[in-house]
């Protein structure tokens, strides 16, 4: 038995609860009904221990019989024409009960031979494996490979005539095990993707919580303005002073609305998923600074804004607000006794370059290469190890740019973001 087959039969926990179900469905196509029926008797469920050996085709010599036990192993469907094979595969897909593999006679005595039939079936079911039953004078292995194409190189195998029952069983076990392993891999990748999205959501919530403290502080200040001027308006008998107080209230209300809107966009999944549009990177930067303003004041962080007022870029503005917020939070955590953040925006030949440098202690050289790895953190229970990893994903995967984290010669950490402007990724 192959290693793949042993793995799937010995390690039943490979298929977790609600995971993929092992597939033992097999399609057999041969224009000689007695050959197809003989293969079915070898493979089908509830077969007797001593299987009737496969009788030879008119195109092959007598095989050597091999007694085997295949009880309750495979679910087999036998057809004799290419049309029946296509219909069986189509129906199986529609019923969500696909075939894991099929045995295909190469010379079918029809206009469509076994190789062409497999090509047609792979257009219906791309995951099905094929084993060709062939005599050397039918088609060579190289010919079959050339006809099916390089893209299907791993989708087929062959068995030469004459063959034994044991060889049929081995090919069936290998092919169905491969089908199971591929589906298990797909299932695990889906679960990993879901877990990755959950981690990203948790990191966003951490950023939102940090920003939320700023928002709460801003609302506290705004409410003081509103309440104070409302009381002043009530006490005033002078219409001009009353109007001035009401103007302050309206302005404070507008500011509160804008703060709330920015906060909502930071964690709104639908907002984050908006298509790429042209926007001013300086505007995204200012949004992030405003969201973090209270935290900066509280932690004695001074921001040195860039001299550039306009730097247009096509992308997802909300993603970049998230990037800046995450980078600000990282710098703030590094500068526990206060410090400065220097920001530069530059338009270079084929990219936009953004650099953010703090005056913190820097990063030890031995761990510097790992700081953008997902789940790597130096903050213990206070960190998730996702902030820089998410920034890197947004910059490099979503935007086709490059993100570099390095220690600056003057001290502190410098993060450099290079974003393409010519439609090609930054190398």
């Amino acid at each position: 038995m192959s290693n793949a087959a042993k793995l799937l039969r010995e390690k039943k926990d490979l298929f977790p609860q609600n995971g993929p179900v092992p597939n033992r469905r097999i399609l057999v196509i041969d224009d000689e009904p007695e050959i197809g029926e003989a293969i079915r008797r070898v493979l089908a469920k509830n077969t007797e221990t001593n299987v009737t050996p496969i009788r030879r085709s008119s195109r092959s010599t007598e095989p050597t019989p091999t007694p085997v036990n295949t009880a309750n192993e495979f679910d087999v469907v036998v057809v004799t024409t290419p049309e029946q094979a296509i219909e069986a595969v189509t129906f199986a897909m529609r019923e969500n009960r696909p075939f894991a593999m099929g045995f295909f006679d190469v010379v079918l005595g029809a206009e469509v031979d076994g190789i062409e039939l497999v090509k047609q079936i792979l257009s219906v079911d791309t995951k099905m494996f094929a084993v060709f039953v062939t005599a050397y004078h039918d088609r060579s292995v190289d010919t079959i490979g050339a006809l099916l194409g390089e893209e299907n190189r791993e989708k087929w195998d062959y068995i030469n005539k004459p063959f034994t029952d044991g060889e049929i069983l081995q090919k069936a076990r290998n092919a169905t095990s491969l089908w199971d392993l591929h589906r298990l891999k797909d299932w695990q990748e889906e679960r990993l993707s879901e877990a990755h999205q959950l981690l990203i959501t948790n990191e966003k919530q951490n950023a939102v919580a940090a920003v939320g403290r700023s928002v709460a502080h801003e609302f506290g200040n705004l409410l003081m303005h509103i309440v104070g001027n409302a009381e002043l308006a009530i006490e005033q008998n002078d219409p001009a002073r009353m109007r001035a107080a009401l103007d302050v209230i309206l302005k404070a209300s507008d500011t509160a609305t804008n703060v709330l809107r920015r906060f909502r966009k930071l964690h709104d999944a639908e907002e984050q998923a908006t298509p790429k549009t042209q926007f001013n990177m300086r505007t995204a930067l200012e949004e992030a600074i405003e969201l973090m303003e209270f935290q900066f004041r509280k932690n004695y962080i001074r921001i040195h804004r860039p001299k550039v007022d306009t730097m247009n870029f096509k992308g997802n503005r909300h993603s970049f607000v998230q990037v800046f917020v995450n980078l600000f939070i990282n710098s703030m955590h590094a500068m526990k006794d206060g410090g400065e953040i220097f920001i530069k925006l530059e338009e270079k030949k084929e990219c936009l370059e953004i650099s953010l440098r703090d005056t913190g202690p820097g990063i030890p050289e031995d761990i510097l290469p790992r700081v953008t790895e997902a789940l790597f953190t130096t903050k213990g229970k206070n960190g998730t190890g996702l902030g820089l990893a998410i920034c890197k994903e947004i910059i490099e995967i979503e935007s086709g740019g490059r993100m570099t984290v390095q220690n600056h010669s003057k001290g502190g950490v410098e993060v450099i973001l290079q974003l393409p402007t010519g439609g090609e990724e930054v190398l």
Side-chain angles (χ1 to χ4, degrees):
M1 184 181 294
S2 70
N3 290 335
K6 287 181 180 178
L7 185 63
L8 287 171
R9 283 162 176 75
E10 294 174 2
K11 302 291 186 181
K12 294 182 180 180
D13 58 334
L14 275 176
F15 292 95
Q17 187 176 7
N18 299 323
V21 177
N23 187 352
R24 297 293 177 266
R25 300 201 72 216
I26 295 177
L27 177 68
V28 177
I29 175 167
D30 198 300
D31 60 340
E32 297 185 57
E34 66 273 19
I35 300 297
E37 181 60 25
I39 294 176
R40 186 197 66 78
R41 286 199 299 271
V42 173
L43 299 174
K45 302 176 186 178
N46 304 315
T47 306
E48 296 295 332
T49 300
N50 294 316
V51 179
T52 304
I54 299 175
R55 297 196 303 117
R56 70 177 179 88
S57 161
S58 59
R59 299 187 294 276
S60 65
T61 58
E62 190 73 34
T64 302
T66 304
V68 291
N69 186 349
T70 58
N72 301 313
E73 191 161 0
F74 299 105
D75 178 11
V76 184
V77 173
V78 180
V79 297
T80 58
T81 69
E83 293 77 17
Q84 290 174 345
I86 294 291
E87 182 180 356
V89 171
T90 303
F91 180 79
M93 293 293 289
R94 187 166 59 244
E95 295 294 308
N96 198 26
R97 296 181 66 240
F99 292 103
M101 61 87 65
F103 285 98
F104 295 83
D105 188 18
V106 173
V107 181
L108 287 172
E111 292 183 3
V112 176
D113 66 7
I115 302 171
E116 179 60 32
L117 175 59
V118 168
K119 289 175 68 175
Q120 293 180 16
I121 284 177
L122 287 176
S123 68
V124 177
D125 182 355
T126 59
K127 297 177 174 60
M128 187 173 174
F129 289 89
V131 172
F132 292 106
V133 181
T134 177
Y136 284 116
H137 61 267
D138 291 339
R139 291 287 178 88
S140 70
V141 173
D142 290 340
T143 302
I144 294 173
L147 290 171
L148 285 181
E150 182 65 21
E151 68 276 11
N152 294 318
R153 181 170 57 88
E154 298 180 354
K155 294 292 182 65
W156 66 275
D157 197 352
Y158 72 97
I159 185 170
N160 283 323
K161 302 173 184 177
F163 45 77
T164 65
D165 296 357
E167 289 174 314
I168 291 289
L169 278 171
Q170 182 71 355
K171 294 296 183 184
R173 287 168 178 164
N174 285 346
T176 54
S177 294
L178 281 172
W179 193 97
D180 289 339
L181 285 171
H182 277 73
R183 301 297 75 72
L184 178 62
K185 178 176 177 289
D186 293 342
W187 184 85
Q188 289 175 333
E189 286 179 349
E190 289 177 4
R191 302 293 79 73
L192 284 173
S193 177
E194 291 174 0
H196 178 65
Q197 290 302 317
L198 181 60
L199 288 173
I200 289 177
T201 299
N202 288 340
E203 179 63 18
K204 284 182 180 178
Q205 289 174 348
N206 288 338
V208 168
V211 172
R213 290 189 285 272
S214 294
V215 173
H217 182 267
E218 292 295 330
F219 266 80
N221 286 340
L222 292 168
L223 285 173
M224 287 178 61
H225 282 295
I226 291 171
V227 171
N229 281 276
E231 291 175 348
L232 183 63
I234 291 172
E235 296 171 357
Q236 292 295 326
N237 292 321
D238 185 345
R241 291 186 177 181
M242 184 181 295
R243 181 177 181 81
L246 291 174
D247 285 341
V248 172
I249 292 173
L250 288 174
K251 184 178 180 180
S253 299
D254 287 340
T255 302
T257 300
N258 290 330
V259 169
L260 185 59
R261 184 183 297 115
R262 291 197 304 271
F263 179 68
R264 187 172 59 203
K265 285 181 178 180
L266 182 67
H267 74 284
D268 192 319
E270 291 184 3
E271 290 282 358
Q272 296 284 353
T274 54
K276 294 181 179 181
T277 57
Q278 198 81 11
F279 70 94
N280 184 358
M281 190 65 72
R282 175 63 187 263
T283 302
L285 179 64
E286 289 298 330
E287 284 189 34
I289 292 173
E290 288 177 11
L291 286 167
M292 292 294 297
E293 187 174 358
F294 169 64
Q295 292 295 324
F296 289 150
R297 291 200 303 268
K298 179 182 176 182
N299 291 278
Y300 305 103
I301 306 295
R302 183 183 177 188
I303 301 296
H304 296 268
R305 287 172 164 81
K307 296 178 180 179
V308 177
D309 291 326
T310 303
M311 194 172 85
N312 292 323
F313 180 73
K314 187 173 183 179
N316 187 324
R317 181 168 60 88
H318 305 298
S319 292
F320 280 89
V321 172
Q322 183 186 354
V323 167
F324 294 137
V325 167
N326 281 341
L327 295 179
F328 288 153
I329 290 173
N330 266 21
S331 293
M332 185 177 68
H333 287 167
M335 298 184 292
K336 296 180 181 179
D337 298 322
E340 299 175 277
I341 298 177
F342 298 86
I343 307 170
K344 288 199 319 185
L345 301 180
E346 292 185 84
E347 291 194 52
K348 297 197 171 181
K349 186 175 180 181
E350 291 188 354
C351 75
L352 305 180
E353 186 171 290
I354 308 165
S355 70
L356 294 90
R357 177 174 70 88
D358 63 43
T359 56
I363 300 172
E365 291 295 332
D366 59 330
I367 66 171
L368 185 59
R370 300 191 60 195
V371 293
T372 57
E373 291 180 12
L375 304 181
F376 179 80
T377 179
T378 59
K379 302 173 186 175
K381 294 181 180 180
N382 296 322
T384 62
L386 290 171
L388 288 177
I390 290 173
C391 291
K392 188 178 180 70
E393 181 175 313
I394 291 172
I395 297 302
E396 298 191 353
I397 297 178
E398 181 180 316
S399 305
R402 183 170 63 183
M403 174 174 159
T404 305
V405 182
Q406 62 190 25
N407 287 317
H408 195 271
S409 59
K410 294 183 179 179
V413 171
E414 181 179 38
V415 179
I416 300 174
L417 312 177
Q418 293 175 303
L419 303 166
T421 56
E424 296 183 358
E425 294 186 357
V426 177
L427 300 178

